[in-house]
Every structure is written in C-alpha cells, then in structure tokens.
Amino acid sequence: MKVVTNIFGSSLGKKYVMAISGAVLFLFLIGHLAGNLQIFLGPDVINRYGHLLQSNPELIWPARLFLLLMLVLHVWSAARLTIENRAARPMRYAQYTPLAASYASRTMMMSGLIVFTFIIYHLLHYTVRVKAINLTGQDFAGPEFQTPIKGLIGEHQHDVYRMMIVGFSNFWVSAFYILGMALLSLHLSHGISAMFQSLGWKNRVYGPFLDRAARVVAILIFLGYVSIPVAILLGYGKEAL
Amino acid sequence: MNLTLRVWRQKNANSPGRFETYEARNILEDMSFLEMLDVVNEELIQRGQEPIAFDSDCREGICGMCSLVINGIPHGGRRGTATCQLHMRHFKDGDTITIEPWRARAFPLIKDLVVDRSAFDRIIQAGGFISVNTGGTPDGNAIPVPKPDADAAMDAAACIGCGACVAVCKNASAMLFVAAKVSHLNLLPQGKVEKDRRALNMVRQMDAEGFGNCTVTGSCEAVCPKEISLSFIAKLNRDYGLATLKGK
C-alpha cells in the first residue's frame, strides 16, 4: 500500500506516472511513424500493414486499451500537478522574468492540450472514420475505400493508401495536422529529457547530451510525420484521387 | 546615482499590499543592494515614516537570510550572487527598480518584503540530519569518503536555504532546496544509513507545506546564489524512487 501512496500521493510519484506514461506514448509515436512512412513504399505495402493490424483484433485492442490507459494517466497527472502548482503561488508577481526556462518547458500544459484535441480529431478522422469531419465529402468507411487483397479472390482490405492521399489532399486537414505535429514536437523537445530527470536517470555526465538529443529527436519526429501531408499536398499519389 | 524604487508594502499577512514609489538619492555604485535600501530607510525614518522591512543578516552571501525579487528575478539575476552581494554598479543612474517579496503559499508574508521561511526548517526537521549517539570524538579519517563523493556532497551542502529556487520557480517548487539537503547527506557514508527514510520524509514534508511540483524548467539552478545543480533533483528523484521500490 505504501508503494501506491508514495507514487500516486506524492509530488515526485505523480511525476513518475507522468514520465512513464509519457515514455510509452513516445515509443508509440515512433512505432506509428514507422507504420505511416510505409505510404512511400506504395499502396500494396501500407495496405498490407493496415490489414495486418485491422485483422488481428485480439492484438490491436489490448494495445489500444493500454495506450488509452497511458493517455489517461498522463492527462490525470498533468491535471493534478497543474492544480497543485497554481495553488502553490496564489499571488502572482507584478514583474516576472522567466529565467533559463525554455519556451517549451513553460508551455507544456498548452501544447499538451492542443495535441490532446488533435488526437481526438485524428482518431475520429482516420480510425473511427467519421465522414462529416474529413472535409472531403467522401466516406472513408465506404466501399470505395476497399481494395481487393492480392492472391485472395473475393477478399477485400481497407484502402489505407487512398484514404491517406484523399484525406491529406484537403489543405485545412493537412494544416491542422502540421500544427498538431509542431506542438507535439515542442512538447517532446522538453518532455523527452524531462522524463529522464523525473525518473532520476540523469546526471552531469550525460544530462547535457540528453537535453540535446531530446531536441533532435523531437525535430526528427516532426519531419517524419509532416513529410506525409507535405508530399501529398505537393502531388504524391495523385493517381489515387 | 539616483534611482526610483517600486517597493511592495504590506503591513501584515491580513491586510492588502500595494506598490509604493520611493526615490533613492546619492547612491554610490560600490554599495550593495541592501545598503542602498538602508539609505532609503534612513531617509524614511528621518521623515517619520515606517521603514521598508526586509530580511538580512551576514551580508556576505553565506547565511541565506536576504531575499527580494528585483525586477522580476530573485536576488537580481547576477549569476551566483545573493542580494547582499549584488552591487549598485550593475544599475544605471535613473533606473526604476521593482522590488517584491518571495511569493509562495508555503512562504506566508510577514511584513513588506519579509516572508516566513520556516517551512524549510520543518523540511530539515523531517530528515535533514544524521542520527548519532553522542560519545567520544571519532578519528579524523576513520570513515573513508571517496573524493568525488565528498566534492558532490560539498556542492550540495553549499545551499544556504534562501528560498530563491522557490521564488523563481513558476510552480513555487522547493525541489532544488530539498534535493540539495537530501543529496548532501545521502552522498556521505554517515548519511547513507538513513538514506531511504530521509528522502521519503523530507519529500512528504515538502508536499505537506504546499510547495508546487518540479517541471524541470531549470530556473532554480540559474537563480541559485550557490549554483546548486539540477542534477541533484535527478538524484532526489532516484533516491525517492529506490526507497519506494524497497517498500520503505
């Protein structure tokens, strides 16, 4: 019991919860990016990958529920910590100069909230496939987004490739996606190194390296994700439209 | 030089405070910031007005008594410098200087620029000590201490407990103070005996006092007059986590 109160009832413990859940979500981002980038290998490859995930509910659902739990823990700890932090300074300074603190570190709550709204939109857009919000007038869940599986007569799989091309061809959808990724990258540029600090896995020897690596990784993740809508807006996969 | 001061005046914790403007005339650049305030107070006393209340003691940067948020930065923003060591040569003739007290729920205001920092004392009482039975004086080098550990412990022990880390932190977190005090003793063989208990109890007291949480912005390290490193906070996180895993 002491372990539970030490973790969920203390300031440091809540930061462990935030760091560990953040680490899992960060690893998911890398996996998700690796999956998405298969769009550049052509429709067959990414559609096969999409079918692999969608045809294995006993694997995908535990993964989804686990990620949801991590997201809930991440948001819960952020909310609790923010409430406590606000309460710790009831009277603000008339003049206050942020010292040494990076822009990202001071705006984690704001970048996090915007990324959170992005995640909800993104799930409704490509996972639940709500027609009304994709702004293209096409139904991603409809039969026109089904494609035959090669070698299996009569079997169909979801045409993930065409869905992505059609989806990102809309300028506003891509713009919101790029904004979401930019804020996610800002969030990560602080979060990746801060999680090592919160878990106590940082010292003077490799601490400065972690700080720099966090920024580089955040930028790489941004470039990786954004490459897809940018390529599509520039004409990649036009034949699928 | 002549300066304009905007100073926070507040009779006590229960009455509302406000900024008052004062002129500081004929200030020498070799004066410390506190000596400048002394000059202003002398003038106020001569005019029969209430002098500005502020904390100070040793005035040589080692006691941790002086405070003051000067133009939005605790201790005025000169690296490794407490307010008492801040010299007026860093200001220009005609400057307007805003002076506020430390602002944190855990540091209730007493008067004007004086706040009650006994929350730090209670955190020390929760574990910032080594329990030894009195007896004969131990031999000088009877317990070997590796040199890097001794140096790191001394770096942590340099903390003077002024509270600037809390004052500058956007969350009013006392993590740098607690980390320094925990690390100072946890790094040494004499203190390692109570390592787990110390980390848990001091963090528990820190939370009970109503300080905020660390969001790793690094402001505390930048403002600390003793330049205590953020890496001690990582060590505190580690010590607390290990103690928790051990089921302590």
Side-chain angles (χ1 to χ4, degrees), chain B residues 112-126:
Chain B
D112 294 344
L113 303 169
V114 180
V115 296
D116 180 358
R117 284 171 279 182
S118 42
F120 273 10
D121 297 337
R122 291 188 289 274
I123 292 173
I124 295 293
Q125 283 160 13

Side-chain angles (χ1 to χ4, degrees), chain A residues 6 10-12 15-16 81 84-85 87-89 91-97 99-101 190 197-198 200 202 204, chain B residues 8 19 71-72 98 100 103 105 166-169 171 207 212-217 219 230 234 237-238 240-241:
Chain A
N6 275 359
S10 77
S11 55
L12 272 66
K15 291 294 293 192
Y16 296 159
L81 292 165
E84 289 167 16
N85 293 343
R89 173 156 302 135
M91 178 128 197
R92 326 250 4 130
Y93 288 106
Q95 194 178 340
Y96 181 71
T97 317
L99 202 64
H190 177 71
Q197 171 83 0
S198 295
K202 211 172 163 191
R204 273 188 250 205
Chain B
W8 184 261
F19 280 102
N71 288 336
T98 305
E100 286 179 82
R103 295 205 190 276
R105 183 166 65 130
V166 176
V168 78
C169 176
N171 311 320
D207 289 350
N213 306 285
C214 178
T215 47
V216 204
T217 67
S219 290
L230 214 55
N237 284 325
R238 188 158 65 239
Y240 183 89

Side-chain angles (χ1 to χ4, degrees), chain A residues 2-16 18 77-78 80-102 104-109 190 193-207 211, chain B residues 6 8 19 69 71-74 77 98 100-106 152 155 166-172 175 200 203-204 206-207 210-220 222-223 229-245 247-248:
Chain A
K2 242 182 182 173
V3 178
V4 178
T5 47
N6 275 359
I7 292 176
F8 289 93
S10 77
S11 55
L12 272 66
K14 276 171 263 181
K15 291 294 293 192
Y16 296 159
M18 167 158 286
S77 53
R80 287 293 320 152
L81 292 165
T82 304
I83 291 167
E84 289 167 16
N85 293 343
R86 295 267 158 88
R89 173 156 302 135
M91 178 128 197
R92 326 250 4 130
Y93 288 106
Q95 194 178 340
Y96 181 71
T97 317
L99 202 64
S102 67
S105 76
R106 287 183 279 120
T107 52
M108 288 300 274
M109 197 61 194
H190 177 71
S193 69
M195 69 191 174
F196 284 93
Q197 171 83 0
S198 295
L199 291 171
W201 298 343
K202 211 172 163 191
N203 63 25
R204 273 188 250 205
V205 180
Y206 57 80
D211 292 340
Chain B
R6 277 178 74 225
W8 184 261
F19 280 102
V69 175
N71 288 336
I73 303 176
T98 305
E100 286 179 82
W102 282 181
R103 295 205 190 276
R105 183 166 65 130
D155 287 349
V166 176
V168 78
C169 176
K170 76 179 182 70
N171 311 320
M175 278 291 273
L200 292 172
V203 166
R204 200 164 294 146
M206 171 182 84
D207 289 350
F211 291 104
N213 306 285
C214 178
T215 47
V216 204
T217 67
S219 290
C220 52
V223 85
S229 165
L230 214 55
S231 61
F232 288 119
I233 295 184
K235 178 169 167 51
L236 173 62
N237 284 325
R238 188 158 65 239
D239 288 355
Y240 183 89
L242 286 173
T244 297
L245 286 176
K248 295 283 171 74

Side-chain angles (χ1 to χ4, degrees), chain A residues 2-194:
Chain A
K2 242 182 182 173
V3 178
V4 178
T5 47
N6 275 359
I7 292 176
F8 289 93
S10 77
S11 55
L12 272 66
K14 276 171 263 181
K15 291 294 293 192
Y16 296 159
V17 173
M18 167 158 286
I20 292 168
S21 57
V24 171
L25 294 170
F26 166 67
L27 291 176
F28 165 75
L29 281 175
I30 294 178
H32 188 44
L33 177 61
N36 288 359
L37 286 176
Q38 295 179 53
I39 192 174
F40 293 118
L41 300 175
D44 292 347
V45 176
I46 191 151
N47 287 343
R48 193 201 64 85
Y49 172 69
H51 185 66
L52 172 79
L53 296 182
Q54 287 166 11
S55 58
N56 286 294
E58 60 275 71
L59 291 178
I60 196 99
W61 275 102
R64 281 174 174 170
L65 291 174
F66 179 65
L67 284 171
L68 182 67
L69 175 69
M70 290 300 125
L71 187 67
V72 167
L73 286 174
H74 203 66
V75 172
W76 169 80
S77 53
R80 287 293 320 152
L81 292 165
T82 304
I83 291 167
E84 289 167 16
N85 293 343
R86 295 267 158 88
R89 173 156 302 135
M91 178 128 197
R92 326 250 4 130
Y93 288 106
Q95 194 178 340
Y96 181 71
T97 317
L99 202 64
S102 67
Y103 181 75
S105 76
R106 287 183 279 120
T107 52
M108 288 300 274
M109 197 61 194
M110 219 6 107
S111 56
L113 276 172
I114 298 171
V115 169
F116 184 72
T117 32
F118 169 78
I119 292 170
I120 292 173
Y121 175 79
H122 189 63
L123 286 174
L124 293 174
H125 188 205
Y126 284 141
T127 308
V128 186
R129 295 174 222 149
V130 176
K131 189 183 167 191
I133 62 156
N134 70 35
L135 307 183
T136 61
Q138 300 193 48
D139 185 6
F140 295 164
E144 61 273 35
F145 283 92
Q146 292 289 320
T147 179
I149 303 178
K150 273 186 189 157
L152 286 172
I153 297 153
E155 293 275 337
H156 282 74
Q157 63 188 5
H158 184 226
D159 195 348
V160 180
Y161 179 81
R162 225 188 118 220
M163 178 179 78
M164 286 168 82
I165 303 286
V166 173
F168 284 127
S169 299
N170 182 290
F171 174 79
W172 296 109
V173 166
S174 284
F176 185 44
Y177 186 88
I178 292 167
L179 175 77
M181 290 304 107
L183 287 163
L184 178 66
S185 173
L186 186 73
H187 199 76
L188 289 175
S189 71
H190 177 71
I192 295 172
S193 69

